[in-house]
Amino acid sequence: MSRELFREGGELNATRVGPDQYEMKIAIPRDADGRMGRECHATDCSPAYFKVTPGTGIVEGQVVAYCPYCRHQDEPNNFFSSDQLRYAKDLAIREASEAVTGMFKDALGLDSSGRRKFGGGFVSVEMSFKEGQKPHVHRPFEEEVRRDVICPNCGLDQSVYGLATWCADCGKDIFLTHVEAEVAVIRAMLSDVERRREQLGGRIAARDIENCLEDVVSIFEAVLRILARRHLLSGAMSTEEVDKFFKKAGNAFQNLKRAEEIFQQELGIGLLGCLSEAESMRLSSAFDKRHPITHNLGIIDRKYLERVRSAEDEGKEVLVSVDEVEAAIAASLKVFGWVHSTLFRDAPNP
Ligand SMILES: [Zn+2]
Ligand SMILES: [Zn+2]
C-alpha cells in the first residue's frame, strides 16, 4: 500500500498539485487584539514589521498590498513574517511525520497495533514499534507594535513602529493620520492634567505639561526630518548624501529658526508660511521654553533670557500652560499639513 506524505484534506487542507507538490492552507494565528503580523521583504526596508487587522480595509479581491514604510508592493500573502513561515513549516513537518510513521509501519509489515510476530514454533520473536509524540508547534511570535491607525481611505486598521507613511492595503499616503494619532496621545495627557493636579499636586501637574511640551518638540523634529528625507530622496540626492545632510543638520529641527533656514535653503519652502505672525510667535516662544526645561530642570538661565528677552527673571521657573502646549500642537499640525501638501502634491493621497 502506498501512502502520500500529506493526507488530502486533513488538518492543513492539503491538495496534491504535482508529483511532489502539495498546496496547504494554513491559518496564521492572530494576536490578542485580533491583529496579524506582516513583514516587508524588500531589501533595506526598516523596521519592515507591522500588523493589520484582517476583515478591515480592502476585504475582497485584493491583489496587491503595500509596505507602510517603503511602499514596496507585493501579493498580500507575500508579506508573511519569518516566524509565520517557521510556524507553517513546523505544521507541515508535523503533518508529514504522521505519514512517515505510517510508511515505516508498512515497510516493516506491522499490524494496526504496531506489532509483528516472527516464527511461531519454539522460537518466536515479536517486534513492536512505539510512536513518538507529535512535535509541538509553537505559535508565531508577534512583536508588540503599539501605534494603531485606521486608514481614512480604505478603513484598514493597522499598527506600525514609529511614523509610517503608506497604508498597507490601499497604498495611499496616510502619514498625517499617523502624526495625528501621535499628537492625540499628547492631547489625552494634557486633558488629564487637572485631575492629576488635584490628586498629586501642582509640581506633578507642571511636570506633566513640561513633558507634553517636550513631546511636541520631539514630534515636530521627527516629522520635519521624515518629510525632508522623503523629499530629498525623491530628488537628485543619493542616500549617502541625504545621510550627510542630516548629520550636518544635527538637531536643528528642534529649533524653529534653524529649521526655517534649512527648509528655505535646501527645500525652497517657507516653513512657517502657513502661520499668522501671532501663531508663529507663540510657537516660537513655546519652543524656546523647551531648552531650560530639558537641560536646566525648568529654571530660567541666561541663555534662555538672552534668546527670548522676556520679562521673566533668571533663576525663576519657566511657566508653561496647557493652553500654550495646545496652541503649539495646533500650529505644528498646520505646519506639517502645509509642508506635506507643498512637497508631495503628486503623492497618492487619500
Ligand atoms: Zn518595506
Ligand atoms: Zn488604506
Side-chain angles (χ1 to χ4, degrees):
M1 185 182 121
S2 84
R3 282 176 186 266
E4 299 288 340
L5 207 47
F6 296 102
R7 278 178 293 148
E8 293 256 346
E11 202 188 331
L12 302 182
N13 233 325
T15 327
R16 193 174 182 154
V17 291
D20 289 313
Q21 266 189 323
Y22 292 87
E23 232 173 58
M24 279 166 250
K25 288 193 176 66
I26 289 170
I28 301 295
R30 322 265 176 89
D31 71 7
D33 300 324
R35 289 164 194 273
M36 184 169 73
R38 307 271 70 194
E39 198 175 311
C40 168
H41 298 284
T43 29
D44 298 338
C45 180
S46 174
Y49 187 84
F50 57 101
K51 281 183 184 179
V52 297
T53 306
T56 67
I58 301 172
V59 283
E60 257 173 60
Q62 188 183 17
V63 287
V64 62
Y66 300 85
C67 166
Y69 310 105
C70 71
R71 207 169 185 274
H72 164 71
Q73 31 180 308
D74 207 336
E75 279 179 40
N77 279 342
N78 288 345
F79 284 92
F80 54 84
S81 74
S82 16
D83 210 46
Q84 286 164 356
L85 185 63
R86 188 272 311 152
Y87 172 74
K89 281 183 182 163
D90 285 358
L91 280 181
I93 288 170
R94 188 173 73 175
E95 178 87 357
S97 74
E98 281 179 32
V100 169
T101 304
M103 287 172 188
F104 190 63
K105 282 182 179 171
D106 289 350
L108 296 176
L110 305 180
D111 63 19
S112 58
S113 62
R115 288 165 200 276
R116 184 176 171 187
K117 245 182 174 172
F118 297 94
F122 289 111
V123 182
S124 84
V125 175
E126 193 181 278
M127 179 165 73
S128 70
F129 167 72
K130 210 173 155 217
E131 276 181 51
Q133 260 188 349
K134 269 188 173 186
H136 178 72
V137 175
H138 294 278
R139 285 167 64 92
F141 172 75
E142 298 291 5
E143 313 256 354
E144 265 298 326
V145 185
R146 284 270 54 126
R147 280 181 163 97
D148 311 337
V149 295
I150 292 173
C151 171
N153 181 57
C154 73
L156 178 73
D157 189 347
Q158 52 205 297
S159 320
V160 297
Y161 286 112
L163 292 167
T165 300
W166 312 103
C167 169
D169 259 9
C170 68
K172 295 269 165 74
D173 179 347
I174 54 163
F175 178 70
L176 292 178
T177 307
H178 280 287
V179 176
E180 275 159 25
E182 205 56 27
V183 161
V185 176
I186 308 181
R187 283 185 164 146
M189 291 193 285
L190 283 175
S191 70
D192 199 34
V193 166
E194 276 320 302
R195 186 190 64 87
R196 284 173 56 94
R197 188 191 307 280
E198 276 164 32
Q199 280 191 355
L200 305 165
R203 187 63 208 128
I204 303 282
R207 279 303 291 156
D208 284 349
I209 303 171
E210 288 169 6
N211 289 340
C212 288
L213 175 63
E214 288 191 279
D215 290 348
V216 175
V217 178
S218 299
I219 290 179
F220 191 87
E221 183 188 18
V223 168
L224 291 194
R225 285 179 77 97
I226 292 170
L227 292 173
R229 174 174 284 275
R230 183 174 154 196
H231 176 73
L232 294 173
L233 282 174
S234 69
M237 269 198 192
S238 67
T239 314
E240 291 74 37
E241 285 169 324
V242 173
D243 287 343
K244 226 164 131 188
F245 166 85
F246 280 105
K247 209 170 169 195
K248 195 176 149 214
N251 56 9
F253 293 162
Q254 292 177 2
N255 180 303
L256 269 191
K257 265 214 150 31
R258 289 186 61 206
E260 248 188 311
E261 281 164 17
I262 293 177
F263 264 74
Q264 193 63 62
Q265 284 163 14
E266 309 288 340
L267 295 97
I269 163 170
L271 187 62
L272 307 181
C274 60
L275 300 182
S276 70
E277 202 166 324
E279 285 171 325
S280 177
M281 275 173 66
R282 221 171 164 205
L283 183 65
S284 132
S285 125
F287 267 52
D288 282 337
K289 288 182 180 178
R290 190 205 65 101
H291 194 271
I293 284 169
T294 308
H295 304 288
N296 200 30
L297 269 175
I299 314 288
I300 294 174
D301 54 17
R302 190 171 292 273
K303 211 166 151 194
Y304 171 77
L305 276 183
E306 279 167 8
R307 202 164 55 239
V308 301
R309 278 181 243 107
S310 77
E312 290 165 283
D313 300 324
E314 190 175 347
K316 273 194 176 171
E317 294 205 1
V318 180
L319 292 175
V320 196
S321 69
V322 169
D323 284 353
E324 232 174 329
V325 181
E326 268 170 357
I329 290 175
S332 299
L333 284 176
K334 230 170 155 178
V335 171
F336 302 154
W338 150 254
V339 174
H340 184 269
S341 65
T342 310
L343 295 181
F344 310 113
R345 223 167 260 145
D346 303 324
N349 295 313

